[in-house]
């Protein structure tokens, strides 16, 4: 067994998208090789509808897949293919944009006005860039949950973990997407595939991720490559943890426990030409997509 080193921690940065949705971005629109096959990760949450009510009106996607995971409130979605639906608390949607789709996503708060969800973009390899678009909508009750004797819980959105397999399948990046909660002061090890890109995103509580160079733990307040990370904001820190190679990670939960997403996927290792919600392999392909958007031929007829 080899413990993955902590390469970096990074606080998600506040930004606005859509028609004025306040969110925090952990990564995106930077070096696409950094998290290959993943391109972007957003955390959108708010206690007041003014922060999210205008949503994400009609916009295009091509060449990627997006996963939306809702924790509180709901997201109404519709697209140019006639699909309509609502993602409730605990549910997930994986959208394969493929050759192109126009869609909208409109967040709505719960009875207390709360809205919380995540969106992750995964790249498509060149062989699937122009595949037919499709959706997978999965209700929260269909996501398996495993609880260990020490109280550690994993919701398995996709991939296989602790003997259970998540309901979302057929994704090019072949990802593992876990929602993990570790009780107060509990230390846990989690196995991950050595050859997959892996990151954790802490969104509640506090924890320390051990490094191979400091397996017993060193408390730090700020990012220090090659050391352990102490995530201190007990209300939910919005902190990305990037790992190097290895086949396991270790986390020591703080006095309030810790909850985080653990995401991994197989790198694609292809050139990336990227403009907004369109991700292709070459600048010529990107220019073609933009021409098709302008002349109305972006959406390909279904076969």
């Amino acid at each position: 067994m080899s413990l993955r080193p902590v390469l970096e921690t990074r606080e998600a940065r506040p930004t606005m998208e859509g028609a004025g949705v306040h969110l925090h971005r952990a990564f995106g629109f930077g070096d696409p090789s950094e998290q290959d096959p993943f391109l972007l990760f957003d955390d959108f949450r708010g206690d007041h509808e003014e922060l999210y009510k205008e949503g994400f009106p009609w916009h295009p996607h091509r060449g990627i897949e997006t996963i939306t995971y809702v924790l509180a409130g709901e997201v109404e979605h519709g697209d140019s293919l006639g699909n309509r639906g609502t993602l409730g608390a605990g549910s997930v949607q994986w959208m394969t944009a493929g050759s192109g789709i126009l869609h909208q996503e409109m967040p709505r708060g719960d009875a207390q006005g709360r809205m919380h969800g995540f969106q992750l973009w995964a790249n498509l390899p060149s062989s699937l860039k122009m595949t037919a678009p499709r959706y997978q909508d999965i209700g929260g009750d269909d996501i398996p949950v495993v609880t260990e004797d020490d109280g550690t819980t994993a919701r398995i959105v996709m991939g296989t973990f602790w003997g259970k397999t998540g309901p979302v399948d057929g994704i090019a990046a072949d990802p593992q997407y876990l929602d993990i909660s570790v009780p107060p002061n509990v230390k846990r090890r989690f196995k991950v595939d050595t050859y997959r890109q892996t990151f954790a995103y802490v969104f509640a509580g506090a924890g320390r991720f051990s490094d191979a160079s400091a397996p017993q733990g060193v408390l730090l307040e700020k990012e220090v490559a090659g050391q352990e990370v102490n995530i201190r904001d007990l209300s939910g820190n919005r902190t990305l943890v990037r790992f190097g190679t290895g086949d396991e990670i270790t986390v020591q939960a703080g006095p309030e426990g810790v909850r985080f997403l653990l995401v991994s996927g197989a790198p694609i290792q292809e050139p990336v030409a990227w403009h907004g919600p369109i991700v292709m392999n070459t600048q010529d392909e990107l220019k073609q997509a933009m021409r098709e958007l302008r002349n109305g031929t972006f959406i390909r007829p279904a076969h």
Side-chain angles (χ1 to χ4, degrees), residues 9-14 24-26 41 43 45 116 118 200-207 209 220-223 229-241 257-260:
T9 66
R10 179 189 307 165
E11 290 188 11
R13 296 182 177 181
H24 284 71
R25 178 160 293 153
F41 182 84
D43 177 348
R45 66 175 99 171
H116 190 189
F118 307 103
Y201 182 77
V202 178
F203 61 94
F209 290 81
L220 298 175
E221 291 187 23
K222 297 181 180 179
E223 165 192 329
V229 182
N230 181 39
I231 298 167
R232 293 185 176 277
D233 186 347
L234 301 183
S235 64
N237 187 266
R238 298 185 177 97
T239 298
L240 176 77
V241 184
V258 63
R259 187 175 179 186
F260 59 97

Side-chain angles (χ1 to χ4, degrees), residues 24-55:
H24 284 71
R25 178 160 293 153
F27 62 85
F29 300 107
D31 179 359
S33 67
E34 181 183 274
Q35 297 287 358
D36 181 22
F38 306 115
L39 297 163
L40 175 146
F41 182 84
D42 285 342
D43 177 348
F44 53 96
R45 66 175 99 171
D47 294 332
H48 306 286
E49 66 173 8
E50 290 76 15
L51 299 175
Y52 54 77
K53 67 177 182 179
E54 300 302 328

Side-chain angles (χ1 to χ4, degrees), residues 20-95:
V21 177
H22 295 252
L23 53 82
H24 284 71
R25 178 160 293 153
F27 62 85
F29 300 107
D31 179 359
S33 67
E34 181 183 274
Q35 297 287 358
D36 181 22
F38 306 115
L39 297 163
L40 175 146
F41 182 84
D42 285 342
D43 177 348
F44 53 96
R45 66 175 99 171
D47 294 332
H48 306 286
E49 66 173 8
E50 290 76 15
L51 299 175
Y52 54 77
K53 67 177 182 179
E54 300 302 328
F56 306 92
W58 293 97
H59 59 280
H61 283 291
R62 175 179 284 182
I64 64 172
E65 299 183 277
T66 67
I67 180 172
T68 305
Y69 179 38
V70 179
L71 295 183
E74 60 185 27
V75 176
E76 297 177 359
H77 68 87
D79 68 32
S80 53
L81 302 178
N83 297 302
R84 297 289 185 273
T86 300
L87 299 175
S91 62
V92 62
Q93 178 196 84
W94 194 290
M95 182 194 74

